[in-house]
Amino acid sequence: MDTKIGSSIDECKPTNGDVGSPPNVTVKTIHDSVVPSSAISVNSCDATLGRHLARRLVQSGVTDIFSVPGDFNLTLLDHLMAEPELNLIGCCNELNAGYAADGYARSRGVGACVVTFTVGGLSVLNAIAGAYSENLPVICIVGGPNSNDYGTNRILHHTIGLPDFSQELRCFQTVTCYQAVVNNLEDAHEHIDKAISTALKESKPVYISVSCNLAATPHHTFTRDPVPFSLAPRLSNTMGLEAAVEATLEFLNKAVKPVMVGGPKLRVAKACDAFVELADASGYAMAVMPSAKGFVPEHHPHFIGTYWGAVSTPFCSEIVESADAYVFAGPIFNDYSSVGYSLLLKKEKAIVVQPDRVTVANGPTFGCVLMSDFFRELAKRVKRNETAYENYHRIFVPEGKPLKCKPREPLRVNTMFQHIQKMLSSDTAVIAETGDSWFNCQKLKLPKGCGYEFQMQYGSIGWSVGATLGYAQAVPEKRVLAFIGDGSFQVTVQDISTMLRNGQKTIIFLINNGGYTIEVEIHDGPYNVIKNWNYTGLVDAIHNGEGNCWTSKVRYEEELVEAIKTATTEKKDCLCFIEVILHKDDTSKELLEWGSRVSAANSRPPNPQ
C-alpha cells in the first residue's frame, strides 16, 4: 500500500479522547503533496466521484467496507464495487455495519461503512458514537439527497418531514471530528481528502455525505490517481519534553516502590511499544487497566495483571494501590473503570501521561509532549527499581483450579473458562461482549500475539456481533473467539448471516443464562429476564444450508470439551456456534463485587441544594 501515514500532526492540542472534552468539529487543513507530472491518468469512465472516493479509501488502508443499501446510496455502491481493491460487504442493518467498521478499525487502524440518508444515518449513529468513545477512525459515508434539493424548501422522503433536512448532519456533529457534505463536484476531492485525513490524524470517526446524483459524475479533478496521503509528523516540544522528563525523574527516582499502569489511550497515542521499553528499562511492576488489556504483552516478566480496583486480578491492586508512585499511561477513570469511584489512588502519587501531555502529581502539566517520546526518553535515564515487582512475587499465590464437574453436572462458568484458556494462541483473538464476559475474559492469560478487544467506555450491548464480523474480516488469518451473552445476542444476531456469506470461521460462545446478568447485579427487576430462544436452532435457520456452519448446545463439561474439540479440528474451517447453558446466578465473583459498587454509585442521593 502506497499510503504514507504519519503518527502525528503539526499542531499540538489536547486529544479528543479525554473524558469530558467537547468534540473537535473544526480541524486544521492538511495539504496533500503536489501531484507529480508523471502521475498516471485515470480512464475517463473511472474518473467519477464514487471511484475517487473508493481509491482514497483503499489508500487509507480500507479494503473492506460495510454497507446497507438504500435509494440514496445505490449509485455510490455501484462505483465503490467497481474498485477492484475494495470489497463491499452487505450487512443486515446499519447498526451492525457501524459495529463492523469499529471492529475492523481495531485491527486495521481504520474502518468504513456506507448507509443511506437519515434512516440509515441515524441507525448507524449509535455505533459511530461508540467508535468516537474508543478513539477509532471510522469513515461513515452516507448517500445524501440530490444536489439540486439543497436550499429549495422541498420535503424529502427518509426525513422527519421538514424542508430543513440537516437533522442528520447535526446529529453527527457531536460524535465525529469532521463532517463533509459533498454536494458540489468542484471541491468534492478536497472535502473527501480532508475528512479521511482528519480521521487518520485524530483517530476519531468522520462523516461524509455524498449527493446521490454526483457519485457517477465524471470531473476533471478525478482524472489522475490521487496522491498518497502524507500527514505532517507531529513532534514534541523539545523544551517541554525535557522539562517533563526531568520533573518525572526527580519524582520517580526517590520513590521506593513505583509501578506502571497502561490505559486505553496507549493505542491512540501509538505508544504501546514505548511503554514496554520503559518497563524493560525501569524494572517496575507493570499492569494494565481493563480497557487496555491486549495492548502490552502479558508474557512480559514484570506483568502483574489487570488493575481494576476491587475486581483486579489477584494481588494486582494490592501492589498498585500500595505503591508510593504510579505512572498511568493514557488512563480513563470513569465510573465503570473506577468500580463506582472506589479506587484507592492518590493524586499526589500519580504521574498521568496522556497522548500529548504529562501531569506530575500535584505539580505542573507539561503540554505538547507526545506519550511515545516521553516514555522513550524516560527509559534512557530512569533509575532501575524492581521493588514493587519483588513485593508482588513475594505475596503471589497461584490461582486454584475450580472444582471438577461430576459427570452430567450442570456446567459452571469458571470451569468453562478453564477450557477456553487452553484454546488461546497467537492465531486467535478474543472479543468480549458487555456483561459478565468482561470479567471472565479479563482473567484469561493472553499468549504472545493473541488479540483482545472489548468496548468498555461506551458499553453498548450487542456491539460484539458486528465487531466480530469486522475484526474477523480484517484479520482472516486469526480465528476469533467471541463471548456473547444471550441478551446482547438478541439485539444484533442478524449479522451471523453476513459472517456466513463471507466464509468466516469464528467460534461464537453464546452464554445462555436467561437475561441481562450484568444489570441484575447492578439493579434487579423483571425487566432483566428475557424470552429464551432456541439459539442453535436460530443460527441453523440463518445458515439455511448456505455456507459452512456448525452448531452445538452444551450443558455439561464433557459436552463442552467435545464441542471445543470438534470446533478446533474437523470444523476448524467453519463458523462454529456453541450455546452454553448456565445457571442464571452463575456469575464471576468480580461481577458481584463490581455490580454492588456501581449500584452504590448510581444510587447516591442528590446533593443538598
Side-chain angles (χ1 to χ4, degrees):
M1 184 177 66
D2 296 329
T3 311
K4 301 174 185 174
I5 301 175
S7 62
S8 48
I9 59 173
D10 58 350
E11 182 180 52
C12 198
K13 59 185 178 57
T15 299
N16 285 336
D18 296 342
V19 176
S21 68
N24 178 23
V25 296
T26 58
V27 296
K28 185 168 179 168
T29 302
I30 300 175
H31 298 283
D32 287 327
S33 308
V34 176
V35 179
S37 58
S38 59
I40 301 172
S41 294
V42 176
N43 187 296
S44 60
C45 66
D46 294 334
T48 63
L49 174 68
R51 288 301 298 274
H52 174 82
L53 175 56
R55 289 191 295 269
R56 238 21 184 156
L57 289 171
V58 170
Q59 281 197 322
S60 72
V62 173
T63 56
D64 302 273
I65 185 167
F66 303 91
S67 68
V68 177
D71 62 324
F72 282 120
N73 72 10
L74 297 177
T75 304
L76 176 60
L77 295 181
D78 289 339
H79 286 259
L80 294 176
M81 288 178 63
E83 170 56 47
E85 296 182 60
L86 190 61
N87 180 31
L88 191 72
I89 296 179
C91 296
C92 298
N93 60 58
E94 291 87 358
L95 180 60
N96 275 337
Y99 286 153
D102 170 312
Y104 193 91
R106 289 167 184 267
S107 177
R108 286 286 184 91
V110 61
C113 59
V114 55
V115 298
T116 196
F117 184 56
T118 306
V119 290
L122 297 189
S123 291
V124 79
L125 192 68
N126 185 56
I128 300 304
Y132 189 98
S133 76
E134 299 276 322
N135 298 299
L136 297 170
V138 171
I139 301 162
C140 181
I141 302 163
V142 174
N146 188 292
S147 61
N148 297 304
D149 290 327
Y150 283 90
T152 61
N153 246 13
R154 292 174 179 151
I155 294 176
L156 300 180
H157 71 286
H158 286 342
T159 70
I160 59 173
L162 298 176
D164 173 12
F165 43 82
S166 63
Q167 179 195 28
E168 178 186 82
L169 171 64
R170 286 183 278 117
C171 289
F172 272 94
Q173 284 175 339
T174 60
V175 295
T176 56
C177 66
Y178 184 80
Q179 308 83 38
V181 177
V182 180
N183 55 16
N184 186 318
L185 286 174
E186 291 295 330
D187 57 2
H189 66 289
E190 295 177 25
H191 282 305
I192 289 169
D193 283 5
K194 187 172 180 182
I196 295 176
S197 296
T198 303
L200 295 174
K201 72 169 187 175
E202 297 289 332
S203 199
K204 291 285 188 183
V206 294
Y207 164 88
I208 303 175
S209 173
V210 178
S211 288
C212 60
N213 60 322
L214 300 186
T217 308
H219 193 263
H220 64 87
T221 56
F222 309 136
T223 57
R224 291 177 180 270
D225 276 336
V227 180
F229 289 111
S230 182
L231 306 187
R234 187 179 184 186
L235 304 174
S236 294
N237 179 292
T238 306
M239 294 178 65
L241 175 61
E242 178 61 24
V245 170
E246 287 289 346
T248 302
L249 287 172
E250 182 182 358
F251 185 83
L252 290 177
N253 286 344
K254 66 183 180 184
V256 177
K257 43 185 179 179
V259 299
M260 299 169 56
V261 184
K265 294 184 197 173
L266 270 173
R267 173 157 58 189
V268 68
K270 298 178 174 62
C272 297
D273 291 343
F275 183 76
V276 175
E277 286 177 29
L278 177 59
D280 291 336
S282 66
Y284 297 172
M286 178 177 68
V288 292
M289 297 180 75
S291 47
K293 185 176 177 67
F295 291 0
V296 300
E298 296 191 3
H299 60 277
H300 190 279
H302 283 187
F303 183 76
I304 64 171
T306 298
Y307 174 64
W308 199 354
V311 295
S312 302
T313 50
F315 308 104
C316 182
S317 65
E318 290 85 350
I319 295 302
V320 172
E321 294 178 346
S322 67
D324 55 349
Y326 13 79
V327 179
F328 275 90
I332 295 178
F333 296 110
N334 61 24
D335 48 344
Y336 275 16
S337 66
S338 67
V339 196
Y341 311 113
S342 65
L343 301 183
L344 301 178
L345 300 174
K346 295 181 179 179
K347 184 179 178 182
E348 60 267 23
K349 295 182 180 181
I351 295 172
V352 178
V353 187
Q354 295 295 0
D356 56 8
R357 69 182 186 277
V358 178
T359 302
V360 180
N362 287 323
T365 293
F366 302 90
C368 294
V369 175
L370 299 185
M371 185 187 291
S372 57
D373 293 344
F374 174 75
F375 284 149
R376 288 199 165 96
E377 194 61 33
L378 198 62
K380 297 174 185 176
R381 298 153 61 179
V382 70
K383 185 171 70 176
R384 192 169 182 85
N385 186 337
E386 299 187 11
T387 304
Y389 181 74
E390 289 168 354
N391 288 345
Y392 172 78
H393 187 70
R394 194 174 290 115
I395 68 173
F396 179 76
V397 178
E399 288 186 70
K401 293 184 177 180
L403 296 173
K404 186 170 179 58
C405 291
K406 298 174 183 177
R408 300 191 70 77
E409 179 184 352
L411 182 63
R412 296 188 300 270
V413 70
N414 54 10
T415 302
M416 171 188 169
F417 276 89
Q418 186 180 20
H419 292 286
I420 299 302
Q421 179 66 62
K422 299 172 187 175
M423 300 178 69
L424 303 186
S425 72
S426 60
D427 297 323
T428 60
V430 174
I431 303 285
E433 174 60 80
T434 300
D436 199 23
S437 293
W438 275 4
F439 303 92
N440 289 310
C441 290
Q442 278 292 328
K443 292 183 281 188
L444 294 172
K445 295 175 177 60
L446 303 181
K448 183 178 180 180
C450 181
Y452 186 93
E453 297 292 345
F454 79 128
Q455 190 196 54
M456 185 172 188
Q457 173 59 38
Y458 201 57
S460 182
I461 65 169
W463 161 86
S464 63
V465 176
T468 295
L469 165 64
Y471 192 97
Q473 192 66 28
V475 279
E477 66 275 11
K478 284 188 181 288
R479 194 159 199 200
V480 177
L481 311 180
F483 299 89
I484 309 175
D486 47 358
S488 297
F489 191 69
Q490 289 191 6
V491 178
T492 51
V493 57
Q494 303 96 311
D495 274 281
I496 295 289
S497 171
T498 311
M499 297 179 193
L500 285 167
R501 289 181 72 184
N502 288 275
Q504 295 185 358
K505 54 184 181 180
T506 295
I507 304 177
I508 296 174
F509 289 90
L510 187 283
I511 314 299
N512 184 348
N513 52 12
Y516 300 120
T517 304
I518 189 170
E519 294 176 9
V520 167
E521 302 309 331
I522 296 173
H523 183 95
D524 200 6
Y527 32 76
N528 289 325
V529 179
I530 62 174
K531 171 73 173 66
N532 189 37
W533 292 1
N534 179 0
Y535 294 99
T536 53
L538 175 62
V539 173
D540 286 335
I542 293 172
H543 175 213
N544 197 29
E546 298 179 20
N548 293 322
C549 182
W550 176 77
T551 64
S552 178
K553 186 175 297 193
V554 302
R555 294 178 174 84
Y556 314 114
E557 182 180 13
E558 54 267 35
E559 291 180 341
L560 176 67
V561 170
E562 187 61 32
I564 290 174
K565 179 181 177 182
T566 300
T568 53
T569 53
E570 65 218 65
K571 300 297 182 181
K572 62 182 175 63
D573 294 321
C574 290
L575 177 75
C576 296
F577 182 87
I578 301 174
E579 179 183 351
V580 183
I581 310 296
L582 295 171
H583 191 278
K584 67 180 180 67
D585 294 326
D586 185 6
T587 68
S588 64
K589 70 180 184 66
E590 290 81 8
L591 174 57
L592 298 176
E593 176 74 25
W594 179 89
S596 63
R597 289 175 183 254
V598 170
S599 175
N602 287 352
S603 57
R604 288 168 294 163
N607 291 327
Q609 299 299 316

